[in-house]
Amino acid sequence: MKKRAYVLCMMIAVMALLGWTVENIFMAITCGCIDNRSMYFPFLLGYGVGIVAIYLMLGTPKELTFFGKKLAVDSKVKRILIYMIEAFVLVSVGEIIIGTVVEEVCGFEWWNYSSYPLHITKYTSVPTSLLFASLITVFMNFCFHPLYSFFEKWNGTALQVVSIVLMVIMIADFLYAAYQMYETGWLLIRWRIIFNEDLFYGSFQ
């Protein structure tokens, strides 16, 4: 159980890095830029914690569970569809909660999907939630267990040290960014690279 906790911490770190990367890819496509995503380090802790939470609640598409209890669904297609629907709901609810809390506490909109079709409040929409749910389902179906097994094979001491160091870095970075956003009422932008000025200025007007 102790080693499992360290493995899950490594999974959080990997998925926090992937979350930071995915957000920047989305920013590059929709806004013509990339930036630090309000962090000093390339990790978005919420993604890592969220994906591990989904794993602990739902398992993976290959082994559907509900809070540890295995669900008997024989059809592979049905398991994938059920998993995607569950992920869609969790992503939508999570975005609404996080967006609302940030606006109430820090006084600004972290993102706004009001211009997107089929938006559900300004903080989530069917297209974006479906995209994230699809990416989560693909990752959990094909990548989660191989990555988990990879970290399980690590030397115990190395696994413990690396996982603790990464968690300390991510938590400290997250708390500092949250404090700065609360104090300044805006994102913590340390660097930004603009690829398409027309798209960038059009998106932020």
Side-chain angles (χ1 to χ4, degrees):
M1 289 298 295
K2 190 175 180 180
K3 186 171 186 178
R4 183 170 187 254
Y6 294 134
V7 171
L8 289 176
C9 285
M10 292 300 299
M11 298 297 289
I12 288 173
V14 170
M15 288 176 284
L17 175 60
L18 287 176
W20 185 91
T21 304
V22 168
E23 280 210 1
N24 265 310
I25 292 172
F26 184 78
M27 285 285 291
I29 295 170
T30 60
C31 301
C33 71
I34 63 172
D35 60 35
N36 63 300
R37 309 309 301 141
S38 295
M39 299 292 162
Y40 276 96
F41 296 93
F43 300 101
L44 291 177
L45 183 61
Y47 282 87
V49 172
I51 298 298
V52 168
I54 289 174
Y55 168 69
L56 295 175
M57 287 188 289
L58 308 178
T60 69
K62 292 180 180 178
E63 298 176 352
L64 279 179
T65 63
F66 187 73
F67 291 93
K69 184 178 180 180
K70 188 174 181 179
L71 301 180
V73 181
D74 295 329
S75 170
K76 179 180 179 181
V77 174
K78 285 183 179 179
R79 289 199 304 271
I80 291 174
L81 287 175
I82 290 170
Y83 201 89
M84 187 176 296
I85 291 169
E86 292 173 329
F88 175 87
V89 172
L90 290 175
V91 167
S92 299
V93 172
E95 283 197 310
I96 291 172
I97 292 173
I98 294 171
T100 302
V101 169
V102 170
E103 184 173 1
E104 290 295 323
V105 175
C106 300
F108 69 92
E109 295 178 349
W110 201 341
W111 65 89
N112 190 323
Y113 292 153
S114 296
S115 62
Y116 285 50
L118 301 176
H119 64 89
I120 307 167
T121 77
K122 59 187 174 184
Y123 285 120
T124 194
S125 72
V126 172
T128 54
S129 291
L130 189 59
L131 173 62
F132 281 117
S134 300
L135 291 174
I136 289 169
T137 302
V138 170
F139 179 85
M140 298 300 278
N141 191 54
F142 295 105
C143 305
F144 190 91
H145 281 304
L147 196 57
Y148 189 99
S149 298
F150 169 74
F151 288 125
E152 261 191 328
K153 295 173 183 176
W154 279 29
N155 171 272
T157 302
L159 177 65
Q160 181 178 359
V161 170
V162 174
S163 63
I164 289 175
V165 168
L166 287 174
M167 288 302 298
V168 169
I169 288 173
M170 289 188 295
I171 292 172
D173 198 19
F174 170 80
L175 292 175
Y176 179 77
Y179 172 75
Q180 289 297 315
M181 287 191 291
Y182 173 76
E183 285 292 309
T184 63
W186 191 238
L187 299 172
L188 183 64
I189 304 299
R190 293 297 177 184
W191 59 266
R192 175 173 280 161
I193 300 173
I194 301 172
F195 301 107
N196 187 323
E197 291 190 0
D198 292 336
L199 184 59
F200 174 79
Y201 290 112
S203 300
F204 288 94
Q205 282 181 352

